[in-house]
Every structure is written in structure tokens, then in C-alpha cells.
Amino acid sequence: MSSYRRSRSWFYNNIYVSFRDGRYEDGLSNASSYRIVQSSASFRKVYESLTRVLDVIIRKRENELNVPGVLNAIARLNILIEYQKNRKVLYPDLADGMKDVLADIMKSLRSNIQQAKREAEALRMALDATLAYKIVSKGGGEEEEEFL
């Protein structure tokens, strides 16, 4: 296996990291300046599946969290995200950023659940901000209003 590691996506480095590090104003500003071409309809399935898992991580108490089940769900999300990216339905930078954060969360779930909760909350905020500032605001149609 190669030791090459691709660089992190713009979504990861600028939106997610800002929220993760508590720089909320930067996260919002970066979300509003994100250069993305993504319709809400194509984002819907991934967003809903992802936020369902993130909400479990965020809301469950540490002793109530079924870590093996959550790890399984994250692995399925990774496959879904890659599939949608390869179909050109999900913007590559966004897909790669989500997958990188999910890898971070998986690692944290194995060693530091509180860190995993913080990462899940930051990803949730990053996705919500991206959705609000970029994805829904682009189309403005009936479908987008229904989505929110």
C-alpha cells in the first residue's frame, strides 16, 4: 500500500475544521464562500442518512452508544458517499471531506467517545451551514423549500 496521502478537501479544511475548533463565524463565512455545484435533490439521501447517524452519536450517552453498530453505519455511509460521488451526483470535494471526517469519527469512537461527539457535532454544523448557504440557496425551488 502506498504511503501517499491526498490533501484534505476544502470543505474539510475550511468549513469543518472551523466548526470543530469553535471558530463558528469562520465556519459560517467559509460555508457562504464555498464554491460548490450541488443540487439539494442529489444531496438529500446522503444528508438524511448522514445526519441520522451523527445525531445518534451526538445524543446518546457514552454508555448507551452501540459503538460497533455506529461503526458499521459509518462504513455504510462511506460506501454511499463514494457511490454518489462516482455517479457524479455528489460534489467530489464535499464527498471527500465528509469521508475524511467520518474516518476521524471512526478513529475517535474507538478511543475517545467525547471527541467523536465533538467531531460529529462539528460535521453536523458544517453540513447544515453548507446546505443553508450554498445548496438550497442556489435553486430556490419548491423541492428545496420542502427539504428544509
Side-chain angles (χ1 to χ4, degrees), residues 12-31 122 125:
Y12 183 98
N13 286 328
N14 295 284
I15 301 174
Y16 165 73
V17 168
S18 294
F19 284 112
R20 184 195 68 194
D21 294 349
R23 295 180 289 112
Y24 304 109
E25 295 85 4
D26 290 343
L28 294 171
S29 175
N30 289 336
M125 287 190 290

Side-chain angles (χ1 to χ4, degrees), residues 57-110:
I57 296 168
I58 293 165
R59 292 192 176 114
K60 291 276 187 183
R61 291 188 188 138
E62 193 169 328
N63 62 344
E64 296 173 340
L65 193 61
N66 174 4
V67 173
V70 172
L71 291 171
N72 183 291
I74 292 173
R76 286 192 314 266
L77 284 171
N78 191 301
I79 293 166
L80 173 65
I81 292 166
E82 186 66 18
Y83 174 71
Q84 297 290 33
K85 179 180 104 173
N86 290 337
R87 288 183 59 223
K88 309 231 184 297
V89 172
L90 194 58
Y91 190 66
D93 182 83
L94 179 60
D96 291 340
M98 289 188 294
K99 287 174 47 181
D100 285 344
V101 178
L102 290 174
D104 292 351
I105 292 171
M106 288 179 85
K107 182 178 177 185
S108 295
L109 281 169
R110 292 183 175 101

